[in-house]
Amino acid sequence: MTTSFRRAPDFDRRTDLIEATMDCIAELGIQGTSVRAVATKAGVSNGLIRHHFASKENLIAEAYSRTIAIITGPPLAIAAGDGSPSEKLQRFIIASISGPVAEPRILSLWATFISQVHINDRFREIHRTQYVAYRAACRSLIQGVVEENRVRISADELHHLSIALNAIMDGLWLEGCLSAEEIDEALQIEIGLGAVERLLGVKLGRDVPA
């Protein structure tokens, strides 16, 4: 019986190599992550990595972009999805601070990358793009909730609240990751929902399952 060899699609290969790069960075840091280390982790040749990414710098940048996508992807999908403004904001909060985004590996990667944002132009642009998208989602959700509750706010207030909501999510996510033994997921979510209710001066209902 003859078994035919199926070559993995380029997209799958790229994804696997990015994941291997993230594993290396989490274990070795950016400086310790080499093309050779990634090739060994992924079980491929150095040449295959250079074929897909041309350089270590490109590979590292893709790994950072993927890390940010893991953190922001779920809440951004919720913000763009269906549901009432209150329901979406609740789900957005939960997705921003718990579940896959709170895994130790993601925190380790984020901490490694964020230290490079101010000295690496590509990292800075990736960070800025994702930050703008997340803050825009915060703004849209806040606007929906205040309109739902017939609260009138100015454009400046809306802008300030979107920054504040982003900061609350960042702080709670980081606190939860670093203090997992003292703050369980249910408490973290409760704190997050309560903080946003006080920030906006509304009640969210708390009727959406985590």
Side-chain angles (χ1 to χ4, degrees):
M1 178 177 178
T2 302
T3 302
S4 61
F5 174 77
R6 187 181 70 87
R7 181 181 177 185
D10 281 351
F11 176 81
D12 291 344
R13 285 181 178 273
R14 284 180 60 86
T15 300
D16 290 345
L17 293 174
I18 291 169
E19 288 292 331
T21 303
M22 292 164 66
D23 287 340
C24 286
I25 293 170
E27 297 169 9
L28 307 171
I30 290 176
Q31 297 304 319
T33 297
S34 62
V35 169
R36 182 183 297 276
V38 174
T40 300
K41 175 71 71 174
V44 301
S45 68
N46 293 6
L48 183 63
I49 293 177
R50 297 194 184 281
H51 166 71
H52 283 288
F53 298 98
S55 68
K56 172 187 170 179
E57 289 72 24
N58 290 340
L59 185 59
I60 298 294
E62 290 286 351
Y64 179 41
S65 184
R66 173 60 182 153
T67 299
I68 297 299
I70 290 172
I71 295 171
T72 63
L76 289 178
I78 289 167
D82 297 327
S84 72
S86 294
E87 290 169 346
K88 291 204 295 184
L89 181 56
Q90 288 178 76
R91 293 190 180 106
F92 182 88
I93 292 165
I94 293 168
S96 293
I97 61 178
S98 63
V101 304
E103 293 178 358
R105 174 177 178 258
I106 298 301
L107 174 62
S108 176
L109 286 164
W110 175 85
T112 300
F113 286 124
I114 205 68
S115 68
Q116 302 294 309
V117 165
H118 294 294
I119 59 176
N120 185 305
D121 290 341
R122 292 185 67 180
F123 284 10
R124 186 183 302 113
E125 181 59 23
I126 292 168
H127 177 79
R128 188 195 69 80
T129 300
Q130 295 294 338
Y131 172 76
V132 168
Y134 188 88
R135 197 177 71 191
C138 290
R139 181 187 180 98
S140 176
L141 290 169
I142 292 169
Q143 184 171 13
V145 167
V146 297
E147 289 176 353
E148 184 180 56
N149 286 271
R150 299 181 180 179
V151 176
R152 298 184 65 179
I153 61 174
S154 68
D156 282 346
E157 288 174 313
L158 184 58
H159 178 65
H160 295 163
L161 287 171
S162 68
I163 294 173
L165 176 56
N166 190 12
I168 289 171
M169 294 301 98
D170 277 352
L172 272 174
W173 171 74
L174 186 57
E175 184 70 19
C177 288
L178 294 174
S179 307
E181 294 181 0
E182 294 82 23
I183 305 175
D184 64 25
E185 193 168 270
L187 176 58
Q188 188 182 14
I189 291 170
E190 181 67 22
I191 291 170
L193 293 172
V196 173
E197 286 179 333
R198 290 188 291 275
L199 174 70
L200 302 182
V202 301
K203 286 292 183 181
L204 295 177
R206 314 294 184 87
D207 56 353
V208 175

